[in-house]
Amino acid sequence: MTTPFVHRWARLAAHRGPLCLGVAPSHKWLRAWDLSPDLTGARAYCRIVLDAAGDRIGAVKVQTPFFERLGPAGLELLREFTDAAHDRGMLVLADAKRGDADDTMADLAATFLGPDSVLRADAVSAAAFMGFGTLAPLLRHAHRTGTAVFVLVRTSNHGATEAQTAVLPDGRTVAQHLADAVVAANDGYGDAGPAAAVVGARAPESTDLLGRLRDAVVEVPGLGRADRDPDEVVGPCGLLRPGRAMLTVTTGVLRHGPDPAALRRSLSAWQAEVAAEVPV
């Protein structure tokens, strides 16, 4: 039987820590690393990231549009990167943030999720703007393949507050409703449900949402951002069950590139910082 994503992540987090590295071969980062903003530069970027990560971390979160913009060759590079990350024992979260009707989401699952899919990712992020029920094909596929669907519950971008903290007729915010829907989607699976969550809220909102999501895997972005104190990001993760938090750092590490040694030192520093506070 295929091992559920939640168990695979818990095992990795126990051995390598809860840190997840954001992978973003954007124009911004390619220029910052003195690489060409094309396929050649993106390929070099991927080699550097993999060299720096080695077998130190449990997961990478890949911003898929930065590969998709390069066309078919970019998608091939994304698959190569995913395979190379797997060879190093890492899980791959494809941060695609897709959301559509049920039939479209079924094909999205075949594109992203599992070893028989096009891109072979272990998880994909998805938006439930068209209704949480539209994620059902993704969730069923994730359960069958031991992968996960990371539902956007509360994102960390500056424009998110207006929509995601809007209050529904039942008194819950949109984010609270989505958090509760993730929990409900995992009912019946014991501790092995396929629904996960993305929560980039600030305290005290983060405390409420992570408390609701205690048993789910939760990806928490924001480490290393200039507008976020690390303690603010890490602290509420103590509300989650051990092995459920996935803390993503992107800028806080990438700014030390393209030197792999400097990237490794930064990764080690962040691992040490979160290890003392996040239960694994």
Side-chain angles (χ1 to χ4, degrees):
M1 181 178 177
T2 303
T3 303
F5 179 93
V6 60
H7 294 164
R8 293 195 285 151
W9 172 244
R11 185 169 60 242
L12 276 168
H15 287 91
R16 300 187 181 185
L19 201 68
C20 173
L21 177 61
V23 178
S26 63
H27 285 280
K28 168 191 169 182
W29 285 114
L30 294 179
R31 284 195 301 268
W33 287 14
D34 292 324
L35 299 171
S36 57
D38 54 16
L39 182 66
T40 299
R43 191 178 299 280
Y45 171 99
C46 289
R47 285 197 301 268
I48 294 168
V49 167
L50 289 167
D51 183 21
D55 59 359
R56 294 170 179 80
I57 59 173
V60 286
K61 183 178 81 168
V62 182
Q63 297 282 353
T64 63
F66 298 139
F67 290 85
E68 293 172 286
R69 71 179 179 86
L70 298 169
L75 292 176
E76 183 63 29
L77 176 60
L78 176 53
R79 179 163 167 162
E80 291 172 6
F81 180 88
T82 297
D83 289 344
H86 287 157
D87 289 343
R88 290 160 173 78
M90 292 183 280
L91 298 178
V92 177
L93 165 57
D95 194 15
K97 297 185 178 73
R98 303 292 172 82
D100 210 322
D102 306 42
D103 54 350
T104 306
M105 297 303 266
D107 278 347
L108 184 72
T111 301
F112 282 99
L113 290 178
D116 296 326
S117 67
V118 177
L119 297 173
R120 300 174 178 163
D122 302 284
V124 67
S125 61
F129 183 77
M130 295 179 71
F132 199 92
T134 62
L135 303 183
L138 270 176
L139 292 166
R140 287 194 296 268
H141 184 94
H143 172 61
R144 289 194 301 270
T145 57
T147 56
V149 179
F150 279 76
V151 181
L152 304 180
V153 169
R154 180 67 160 93
T155 57
S156 58
N157 59 298
H158 297 300
T161 300
E162 181 179 4
Q164 295 170 16
T165 63
V167 179
L168 300 173
D170 65 5
R172 293 178 297 171
T173 65
V174 170
Q176 289 172 329
H177 165 75
L178 290 170
D180 293 343
V182 167
V183 173
N186 284 335
D187 283 349
Y189 292 106
D191 66 347
V198 178
V199 176
R202 291 179 176 277
E205 187 186 5
S206 59
T207 300
D208 170 71
L209 294 173
L210 293 180
R212 291 170 182 263
L213 289 160
R214 180 179 183 275
D215 294 326
V217 177
V218 182
E219 190 256 325
V220 181
L223 281 179
R225 281 177 44 165
D227 62 341
R228 295 287 175 102
D229 182 276
D231 289 339
E232 178 188 10
V233 177
V234 175
C237 292
L239 296 168
L240 298 172
R241 281 182 58 185
R244 297 301 193 264
M246 178 184 288
L247 289 107
T248 299
V249 59
T250 304
T251 300
V253 169
L254 297 184
R255 68 185 180 211
H256 298 285
D259 178 13
L263 292 168
R264 282 192 290 270
R265 287 193 295 271
S266 179
L267 277 171
S268 295
W270 282 112
Q271 284 177 309
E273 180 150 353
V274 302
E277 297 188 51
V278 180
V280 294

